[in-house]
Amino acid sequence: MIRSLFTTLVALAVCAGIMPAHAQTYPTKPVTLVVPFPSGGVTDILGRLVAERLSGALGQKVVVENRAGAGGNVGMIAAANVPADGYTLFLGTMGTNAINASLYRDLPIKPAEAFAPLAMVATLPNVLVVNPRTHDIRTAAELIAAAKKASRPLTYGSFGNGSSAHISGALLAVGGGVSLNHVPFRGSGPAMTSLIGGEIDLMFDSMPTALPQVKGGAVRALAVTSANRSSIMPDVPTMQEAGFKGYDLSVWFGVFARSGTPKPILDRLATEIQKIVAQPDVQARMRSLGADPFIVPTADMPAFIAREAQRWAKVVADNRISLD
Amino acid sequence: MDALANIALGFSVAFTPANLAYCLLGCLVGTLIGVLPGIGPVATIAILLPQTFSLAPESALIMLAGIYYGAQYGGSTTAILANMPGETSSVVTCLDGHKMARKGEAGLALAVVALGSFFAGTVANLVVALAGPPLSALAYSFGQAEYFALMTLGLVAAVVLASGDLVKAIGMAMIGVVLGLVGTDVNTGAQRFTFGLFELADGIGFLVIAMGVFGLGEIVANLEQGADREVFAKAPRGLLPPWRKLKRAVPSVLRGTVLGSLLGILPGGGAVLASFASYMLEKRIAKGPERFGHGAIEGVAAPESANNAAAQTSFIPLLTLGIPPNAVMALMVGALTIHNIQPGPGVMAANPALFWGMIASMWIGNLMLLILNLPLVGLWVRLIAIPYRLIFPAILVFCAIGVYSVSLSTTDIVLTAAFGLIGYFGRKLECEGAPLLLGFVLGPMMEESLRRAMVLSGGDATVLVTRPISAILLLLALGLLAATILPTVNTKRRGIFAE
């Protein structure tokens, strides 16, 4: 009894001795930020922006590691199977941390349990675009009217099953009370080519890829999917303004650590990343990409993500979107 | 005159010492990774992309572009000397290029590749500079039905260009198609043949199959007949090819250039299709088509010119429309975005220095590659004189590194080994790897575009024949198939009547 008490005391003392030291000395080696999408994409660029600033703040190099595949699952699973020591961080998205669990039944981890959220980074709305040469349509309402009149369902392109573009289109069909045919492509580029070539009727494209085509006049932007107008296209109304009640979709990006990471380390990382996202030049950089900075207190993140996961689970189930 | 002013502006950008240095660096790195089996431009550019943060955007793009077309040059070297395609577009080069090397004509093959590529690169570069914007409209006239027809033509070509047994070629192409279907079905989201492995959800990588079937298969087969191999290695003749030999390749280079420049503009498999299509064209019109697959110089000259031309013109959709036609170009978009440049229809007007500077640098880069590669031919040829027992472990290691570097996945290395076995047994059964690889690349694209075409037409299959481009391509495929099958059928019938 005494012996075991002694052991416990020693253990506690050791822990007490280590824990603060841990937070004070962390990090003693380079930190990895797992980005679950290939380099060159928006997720990657956001990740590298955070990594660069975080390197400065932590005094240790933060290295971006691109682990792409299976809609971000490959990277997410890799980042969940590491020691909970704060040396491997994960750049999660709405897709990986709120949608994939409903899309992939075989997902071996529960993102909400596997990760501790640190900070949100940015949000990215989709933009509803049409080809002005095939459809002289100026508003989302006109689009719905055209869809109702058409002899065949209008078609919308997306960058894959279960992608935010697919879900945006499904929400449009439900909200407008019309049926639309989904045409998935491998990535945004081919879908945009098909829209400009006059094959598909409309598409919800991601802001960064839509922006140059809208500016160049190849496609016309009818609405953005976020609840508030985007600072990048302030003249384009939101879907809510266009009459779609409750329509609100923004792809968000946040930084996560393995759950079970010592609290002092989590706090340190959360504080630093929150500070980085608030820096004006970082925000300017995000806007130049087409993204809006997104600041959410760390304590509010779990509830926010849970709400998102619940919403998308319903949309995924109602529209029978599946990936297995 | 406008064009001249633009080209002058381009050269003024490209000729700064710094940009010349980045161009040279890119070409060197590109050649190196092209020569090393397994390590391709996609992985290299992905790794180097963040390092270009601090460069001026022109310099960054000039260097990255250099890596891309440098790798096309380097890749053919490995294809010829070691029968290993580092890139999809050098699969065809293996067919005759490696046979030439075995006949002791490695120097000739390499020289033809360098000269042909330079010529094709120059022409394609002019095409980009003078006709880029109007040509980009071509990409828009290709809808889903046209893609389906083009892929069908490509698959038929894959079977036809195989030098061995027709039935075996069809079989290998089919296996390739099935392998290509592994992964998430883009249309329904269903997981096909993934066995619950998320590593397979995006399909099997091209490099995994190419390195396995060609690379490892070749190594095992070589080790088996060690003695023969040494003989072949000791006989590199013809280091400086005489003009009378080169002359034979000239018409092939010209045809390859035209075909490559056109097909390179198409999104997707442009460069791949270009090299296969030009090989097939050469085989069709050549005197003595039976030489193909046994070291025909035309079979090296045409596809290599075509893939280099296609590599250049594939910049057209990116630079004029802002739409990346392949994985490397998608990375270029990333490079532009990092530098705060929105790639798109406006890039030419907004950043003329970048646009024209890059075009000028591509020509300079091609010239550098020629100067780099011609003297290197001698060095490369001597490389195969190194005893095989010393060189094959190195090749194996580079294969493994290359495959791993694409997605940091050990599963890919294991898969490569498995495909090595398949490649080896294929060789034993005289089943060629080329149709398998082409089926692997084209099959899924064909399926996807067919299904998209059906969704778009509301299930009406007649779109495939009522749209003119699609109808012509399908007719070509049919004609080609008939031309290949009929002689065989005729021989058989004659055989029956004889009895």
Side-chain angles (χ1 to χ4, degrees), chain B residues 370-403:
Chain B
L370 183 69
I371 298 169
L372 266 174
N373 276 282
L374 272 186
L376 279 180
V377 166
L379 180 81
W380 296 134
V381 171
R382 244 170 289 153
L383 207 65
I384 50 174
I386 298 173
Y388 199 59
R389 69 192 149 79
L390 296 181
I391 213 167
F392 90 85
I395 296 180
L396 271 183
V397 169
F398 280 120
C399 280
I401 295 176
V403 165

Side-chain angles (χ1 to χ4, degrees), chain B residues 330-375:
Chain B
L331 285 169
M332 294 281 179
V333 170
L336 286 169
T337 342
I338 283 175
H339 288 103
N340 254 334
I341 294 165
Q342 291 286 354
V347 87
M348 238 163 105
N351 301 288
L354 175 94
F355 182 87
W356 295 104
M358 188 158 152
I359 286 175
S361 89
M362 293 204 290
W363 185 76
I364 297 173
N366 272 293
L367 186 66
M368 284 180 180
L369 282 168
L370 183 69
I371 298 169
L372 266 174
N373 276 282
L374 272 186

Side-chain angles (χ1 to χ4, degrees), chain B residues 48 157 159 346:
Chain B
L48 287 180
V159 168

Side-chain angles (χ1 to χ4, degrees), chain B residues 76-102:
Chain B
S76 13
T77 309
T78 323
I80 290 169
L81 297 183
N83 198 19
M84 254 181 246
E87 273 294 288
T88 337
S89 47
S90 45
V91 171
V92 213
T93 313
C94 291
L95 298 179
D96 278 282
H98 187 60
K99 291 281 160 49
M100 282 182 77
R102 280 189 178 264

Side-chain angles (χ1 to χ4, degrees), chain A residues 210-231:
Chain A
L211 192 60
Q213 303 300 341
V214 171
K215 273 191 192 157
V219 297
R220 183 180 288 155
L222 303 185
V224 293
T225 57
S226 46
N228 299 309
R229 289 195 181 199
S230 160
S231 58

